[in-house]
Amino acid sequence: MLISRSIPLHNNFSGYYYDTSRCDEVIEEDDAVFLFHGWLYKDLDLTPRDLYARLRTTHDISQFKGVFCGALIMNNDVTVFTDRLGLGDVFVQEDPLIVSDRFTEFFRIAEYTMDDLDPVGVAEFVMFEHCIKSRTFIESIRLLPCGTVQTIGKEPYQYWDYAFSPKVRPSRKEAFEELDGLFNHAITRIRMENPDGVFGIGLSGGLDSRITAKYLKDRGANVTTFVFDHNNSDAARVSAKLARVMGLPLKRLVIPDDFSSVLDAHMEYDPMYSVRNAAYCTIRDQLPQCDAMVTGFFGDTGFGSHIKAAELTNDGDLAPKLRKRLDVVKTQLAEDDVVARVDADLASYDIGKPHWQCAERSEIDNRQHRFVKNSPSFHFYGRYLPTYSMFSDLDVVEFILSLPVDELYENNFYHSFIRYRFPRLARIRSERRAYSLMDPSWARHAKTFALKVKYKIHEKTGVTLPIFRTIGYRDAFDFERIYEVNKPHVSRELHAPGLRIDAIRALTGLRGNQVKYNYYTVGLFAERYLHDAQGYSV
């Protein structure tokens, strides 16, 4: 989908040029043009044409559920819209007017320079690996917020918001049965999109992907699984056991250390996606044959894995707490005025509700930018295959929003549900992180302490003592090695306004290298898309 006011494209209506590429439905009438991309839940008996008729009279499209975005050109106005979770992207530039579902389309039809960079958006990406709220790398281009309809040049209308409404249920067992029914219904909806197709799902060794695969198999879907295997990873060992227990085929996709060969494709699809994840794109051709992808994304984060004890209080200033929670590197990575504007973006989440709800409201924007779409499945493979997640089914999301906070705290309800519904799968440990998600709290603290000691020893000596080899997973050290292998290809240092380059150069360790990858991502973006990008060193 692409609309422009001043740049000629394939079609013209009332002075607006438009391109219907990637549109799943196009309605062209004498007084309007409607562009739609995505899919609506078939069981609700609503079609894109119904959505078109609704938009002609009102901005309230809350009855429409699915993953979609689009635009309506009518009465010399352009109205854009996105689904409730913002899974259908809409990027907007008002002057000159350009609207697209892909960020890179703007650079195909218009020229941008270093002066067009948004220093706050760049700083936020370097710090968090995603821009906050509607920001992008370019100051004039904004991402339409989730659940929003906007006529360009007018105030946006948010027809749905991520708002909590706790509900008391008679018993936990009844709540478990309700969620089980919602998951089954979500899988039915997904299957309706590809009734006879083969569904591929990546097993990570975690909880979300395993129960997704189990629900798919139990509902009679044709399922094949794969696992990203790097350096004989713990996730591959756990996933092999899960596949055996569920009776599913499993293919191991071996990820090479060097991902330089896919950087062009990576940057072409979405430059606001950290190149540290480009390694996953190298195994695109190794994927098993399938017609659609299903993932476990939106799972544990949706059910509150990030809600910790500190977020259950409402005292003090929210912005510093969110900065800490979002793991901002303490080193000042940006000039003071830019940092102040980042803080202002974070503080805007303080909406007069309990702190944990403010933190959760910021998390939905984080997911829109990063958690859901910026995964290998949703982001890169989604370019080739339709991709779904039962956790982002809107009825499941509404259920999550009805849970009391004590049930969300550290996945309390979610983990209990898995033990209740799938006891055999729950007994198979998760991939080794700092601790297993199903461990009792005393074991978590012990393993976390041991993992910190392990990292400290490795950082000082470069070796890991045998006693610590099985505590935590090795991905942290794999990441360090991958960083060194690819450093010559990604070390484009962008001397962007507002960033403190020397502070970024001085960063060390795992978190420091992650920040550097984010920084180099912006550098590669500038090199490819900005016409006067200067100041690189390799």
Side-chain angles (χ1 to χ4, degrees):
M1 179 186 74
L2 181 61
I3 299 172
S4 170
R5 183 66 167 174
S6 57
I7 301 165
L9 299 171
H10 296 101
N11 305 287
N12 187 351
F13 173 80
S14 191
Y16 291 97
Y17 299 96
Y18 62 96
D19 186 345
T20 59
S21 299
R22 298 186 308 281
C23 289
D24 295 293
E25 180 109 5
V26 178
I27 299 174
E28 296 172 307
E29 296 186 341
D30 292 340
D31 64 339
V33 170
F34 178 72
L35 309 178
F36 178 88
H37 174 60
W39 57 287
L40 297 170
Y41 295 165
K42 286 185 168 57
D43 59 306
L44 298 182
D45 292 326
L46 292 171
T47 67
R49 186 165 286 277
D50 296 321
L51 178 56
Y52 163 64
R54 181 75 173 176
L55 275 173
R56 288 184 64 101
T57 59
T58 178
H59 282 180
D60 184 5
I61 58 172
S62 54
Q63 68 193 96
F64 295 89
K65 295 182 178 181
V67 176
F68 60 84
C69 64
L72 171 67
I73 307 174
M74 189 176 73
N75 297 331
N76 206 34
D77 284 325
V78 175
T79 298
V80 292
F81 56 91
T82 188
D83 61 71
R84 295 190 186 196
L85 295 180
L87 301 184
D89 283 335
V90 176
F91 294 94
V92 177
Q93 176 179 277
E94 294 195 16
D95 187 19
L97 176 70
I98 303 176
V99 173
S100 181
D101 61 328
R102 281 183 60 182
F103 186 56
T104 51
E105 288 292 278
F106 290 79
F107 309 100
R108 183 171 68 84
I109 66 172
E111 289 191 1
Y112 296 86
T113 68
M114 292 286 289
D115 290 338
D116 296 310
L117 279 177
D118 182 348
V120 181
V122 168
E124 289 171 353
F125 182 86
V126 169
M127 293 176 183
F128 308 138
E129 205 170 277
H130 72 282
C131 303
I132 296 175
K133 292 202 165 182
S134 61
R135 291 189 186 276
T136 70
F137 289 167
I138 300 296
E139 195 152 16
S140 61
I141 303 174
R142 288 293 180 260
L143 175 66
L144 191 69
C146 57
T148 297
V149 178
Q150 182 179 12
T151 298
I152 305 301
K154 300 178 182 178
E155 286 297 308
Y157 171 73
Q158 191 164 20
Y159 65 87
W160 184 87
D161 195 9
Y162 199 80
F164 288 85
S165 181
K167 174 183 175 182
V168 178
R169 291 173 172 84
S171 68
R172 237 190 180 196
K173 183 178 179 180
E174 288 192 26
F176 290 159
E177 294 297 332
E178 182 182 349
L179 179 59
D180 182 54
L182 292 173
F183 277 149
N184 276 304
H185 192 201
I187 292 297
T188 299
R189 282 173 169 164
I190 291 171
R191 290 206 62 202
M192 290 172 73
E193 295 301 312
N194 286 273
D196 303 314
V198 177
F199 291 93
I201 181 166
L203 293 178
S204 65
L207 301 176
D208 307 331
S209 58
R210 72 178 69 177
I211 71 166
T212 298
K214 179 64 174 167
Y215 271 109
L216 275 168
K217 185 172 188 296
D218 288 352
R219 298 297 293 177
N222 189 350
V223 183
T224 186
T225 68
F226 57 91
V227 61
F228 299 116
D229 186 11
H230 184 78
N231 196 26
N232 194 25
S233 68
D234 187 58
R237 288 191 290 273
V238 175
S239 297
K241 185 173 183 179
L242 288 168
R244 280 198 307 273
V245 168
M246 291 187 283
L248 294 172
L250 177 71
K251 184 175 182 180
R252 298 173 77 136
L253 310 182
V254 181
I255 303 174
D257 286 352
D258 187 344
F259 58 68
S260 59
S261 63
V262 297
L263 280 176
D264 279 346
H266 176 96
M267 294 304 294
E268 177 189 351
Y269 187 59
D270 192 343
M272 293 194 297
Y273 176 34
S274 179
V275 293
R276 77 185 184 90
N277 297 309
Y280 294 108
C281 303
T282 59
I283 44 80
R284 166 68 181 83
D285 295 334
Q286 297 182 40
L287 279 175
Q289 234 9 74
C290 53
D291 303 295
M293 304 277 289
V294 184
T295 83
F297 287 98
F298 205 85
D300 66 339
T301 52
F303 279 95
S305 64
H306 59 283
I307 298 178
K308 311 299 181 186
E311 273 130 26
L312 302 183
T313 64
N314 194 31
D315 57 330
D317 181 29
L318 179 64
K321 288 184 179 181
L322 278 176
R323 282 191 76 194
K324 182 178 180 181
R325 188 181 70 79
L326 290 170
D327 196 22
V328 180
V329 177
K330 294 297 184 287
T331 310
Q332 291 272 312
L333 299 181
E335 300 296 339
D336 292 345
D337 63 325
V338 173
V339 171
R341 292 169 67 189
V342 171
D343 274 339
D345 278 356
L346 291 170
S348 67
Y349 289 118
D350 193 348
I351 49 181
K353 294 183 177 180
H355 173 75
W356 70 271
Q357 289 194 19
C358 296
E360 177 63 13
R361 185 64 189 83
S362 74
E363 191 71 15
I364 186 64
D365 287 333
N366 186 355
R367 292 185 198 123
Q368 186 186 2
H369 279 279
R370 183 163 73 97
F371 271 111
V372 175
K373 290 175 297 189
N374 285 10
S375 68
S377 297
F378 271 92
H379 221 277
F380 192 77
Y381 303 143
R383 181 181 181 183
Y384 305 96
L385 296 170
T387 309
Y388 312 97
S389 171
M390 70 177 189
F391 295 98
S392 62
D393 183 274
L394 294 173
D395 292 334
V396 174
V397 172
E398 292 290 354
F399 177 89
I400 293 171
L401 294 175
S402 74
L403 288 173
V405 63
D406 57 322
E407 294 282 41
L408 289 171
Y409 173 62
E410 290 193 338
N411 288 139
N412 188 356
F413 179 88
Y414 181 46
H415 291 170
S416 298
F417 167 77
I418 295 173
R419 286 191 289 264
Y420 168 81
R421 181 64 180 82
F422 303 109
R424 190 178 181 189
L425 292 182
R427 285 194 293 270
I428 299 174
R429 66 172 178 83
S430 298
E431 60 168 325
R432 285 196 180 98
R433 296 180 183 268
Y435 50 78
S436 170
L437 293 173
M438 307 300 279
D439 281 342
S441 59
W442 65 267
R444 297 183 188 186
H445 294 308
K447 288 184 178 181
T448 300
F449 174 76
L451 188 64
K452 288 180 180 177
V453 173
K454 170 184 175 180
Y455 284 170
K456 289 286 186 186
I457 294 173
H458 181 84
E459 199 169 46
K460 295 284 187 185
T461 66
V463 299
T464 302
L465 298 179
I467 191 174
F468 290 119
R469 286 197 194 283
T470 60
I471 299 175
Y473 66 158
R474 290 181 295 176
D475 291 10
F477 305 128
D478 291 340
F479 179 83
E480 297 277 5
R481 187 184 65 255
I482 294 170
Y483 172 79
E484 291 301 324
V485 169
N486 292 282
K487 190 175 179 180
H489 308 293
V490 300
S491 298
R492 280 15 176 226
E493 294 190 346
L494 175 68
H495 292 252
L499 289 181
R500 289 182 172 157
I501 310 306
D502 290 340
I504 295 174
R505 285 179 184 154
L507 292 174
T508 58
L510 176 64
R511 175 59 177 159
N513 285 343
Q514 288 176 335
V515 169
K516 286 179 180 177
Y517 264 143
N518 300 339
Y519 169 54
Y520 297 149
T521 300
V522 183
L524 287 169
F525 157 75
E527 183 179 56
R528 183 179 181 106
Y529 292 110
L530 303 185
H531 287 259
D532 63 343
Q534 300 292 329
Y536 295 98
S537 57
V538 178

